[in-house]
């Protein structure tokens, strides 16, 4: 049977239509997949927002009148040491730079001159929340989007999300690249077998602790994160601590004992 020119043209049009449909339904190429750190942009499911460049760890911000800050809920003892030890045993390169925490605002570059206004904003954000309990249980991962294993927040996540939204307002208003997902990172940027080991080892891990405030941290030239101020719920924060629930009370006890 012979094929006319019009038949051939129709066949070509149909083939092109099929190719276009396949291309439209095909997954995105690898180079378009998001790549991020759990402690840099809140890890989780992609959110339809504008991408924000995270703080550059290789820039000497002090020389430009800038500062890299973050806001977080610190993990109290004995869980802080437990999780820190896990991170060190797994060979995480960030173990010595970051204490265990639940991120409220990831690393953000601000002007040093704006720090007083930022502290005032954070003190106001701490005035209305009431203390709550965080329950950590079991392990989770952000793979394949990011090489991260974490301990999951199974209670207190709603309060963390509300706090994060309050923190990320006013002078700290920032769009999210990914939906907010409270967690405590225990392994990041280590080989796949180490991530597998972390995920299995912490599958049964549990911790409960009360949260009475949050901390403001600043990254130094040595890349270590250090506390600037603790903001207690119910009143403007005045304590300088790690952002944990024990440090401010411990410092207050030392001051009373010394007076």
């Amino acid at each position: 049977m012979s094929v006319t020119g019009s038949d051939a043209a129709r066949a070509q049009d149909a083939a092109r239509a099929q190719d276009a449909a396949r291309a439209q339904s095909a997954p995105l190429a690898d180079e378009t997949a998001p790549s991020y750190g759990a402690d840099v942009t809140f890890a989780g499911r992609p959110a339809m927002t504008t991408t924000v460049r995270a703080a550059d760890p290789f820039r000497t911000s002090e020389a430009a009148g800038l500062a890299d800050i973050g806001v977080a809920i610190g993990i109290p003892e004995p869980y802080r040491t437990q999780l820190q030890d896990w991170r060190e045993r797994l060979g995480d390169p960030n173990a010595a730079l970051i204490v265990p925490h639940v991120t409220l605002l990831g690393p953000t570059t601000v002007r040093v001159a704006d720090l007083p206004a930022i502290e005032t904003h954070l003190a106001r954000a701490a005035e209305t929340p009431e203390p709550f309990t965080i329950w950590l249980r079991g392990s989770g991962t952000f793979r394949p989007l990011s090489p991260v294993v974490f301990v999951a927040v199974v209670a207190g996540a709603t309060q963390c999300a509300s706090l994060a939204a309050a923190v990320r307002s006013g002078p700290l208003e920032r769009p999210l690249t990914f939906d907010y997902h409270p967690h405590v990172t225990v392994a990041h940027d280590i080989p796949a077998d180490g991530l597998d080991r972390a995920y299995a080892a912490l599958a049964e891990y549990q911790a409960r602790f009360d949260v009475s405030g949050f901390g403001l941290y600043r990254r130094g030239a040595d890349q270590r994160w250090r506390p600037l101020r603790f903001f207690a719920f119910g009143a403007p924060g005045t304590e300088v601590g790690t952002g944990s629930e024990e440090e401010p009370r411990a410092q207050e006890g030392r001051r009373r004992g010394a007076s």
Side-chain angles (χ1 to χ4, degrees):
M1 182 178 68
S2 63
V3 179
T4 66
S6 59
D7 289 338
R10 282 196 293 271
Q12 288 177 344
D13 289 342
R16 281 195 293 267
Q18 288 178 343
D19 290 342
R22 282 195 295 268
Q24 204 168 26
S25 62
L28 295 175
D30 289 342
E31 60 265 23
T32 65
S35 177
Y36 58 93
D39 292 320
V40 176
T41 61
F42 299 106
R45 294 180 292 104
M48 299 302 293
T49 55
T50 304
T51 301
V52 174
R53 184 181 296 278
D56 182 357
F58 301 106
R59 171 184 47 74
T60 305
S61 58
E62 290 80 359
L66 302 174
D68 293 338
I69 65 167
V71 181
I73 296 169
I75 308 300
E77 297 293 2
Y79 313 117
R80 186 192 320 177
T81 296
Q82 291 172 1
L83 295 172
Q84 190 82 10
D85 286 349
W86 267 111
R87 205 159 182 172
E88 291 175 356
R89 286 200 297 271
L90 291 164
D92 190 318
N94 298 306
L97 306 177
I98 308 171
V99 296
H101 64 280
V102 177
T103 299
L104 299 176
L105 174 73
T108 302
T109 302
V110 300
R111 295 189 307 171
V112 172
D114 291 337
L115 284 175
I118 289 171
E119 291 193 27
T120 298
H121 162 69
L122 293 175
R124 289 173 181 161
E127 288 177 357
T128 55
E130 296 183 353
F132 63 96
T133 299
I134 280 181
W135 182 14
L136 304 177
R137 186 181 68 180
S139 55
T141 182
F142 293 127
R143 293 188 289 177
L145 290 180
S146 185
V148 172
V149 170
F150 57 85
V151 175
V153 177
V154 297
T158 299
Q159 292 92 328
C160 288
S162 296
L163 270 179
V167 166
R168 292 191 323 273
S169 64
L172 292 176
E173 184 174 0
R174 301 291 189 276
L176 293 181
T177 306
F178 295 89
D179 288 345
Y180 179 70
H181 187 286
H183 62 280
V184 181
T185 298
V186 291
H188 183 206
D189 280 340
I190 63 174
D193 59 342
L195 294 171
D196 292 339
R197 192 165 71 254
Y199 187 87
L202 291 161
E204 304 299 324
Y205 184 84
Q206 292 197 51
R208 286 180 187 262
F209 55 90
D210 295 329
V211 179
S212 62
F214 55 83
L216 171 65
Y217 296 78
R218 180 173 177 176
R219 179 161 49 191
D222 59 359
Q223 306 307 308
R224 289 179 180 270
W225 287 92
R226 294 179 175 85
L228 285 181
R229 184 171 171 182
F230 179 84
F231 298 90
F233 294 152
T238 57
E239 299 290 353
V240 176
T242 62
S244 76
E245 310 315 312
E246 295 184 342
E247 184 68 17
R249 290 196 289 270
Q251 290 188 350
E252 181 64 26
R254 288 194 291 271
R255 283 198 294 273
R256 284 200 298 265
S259 60

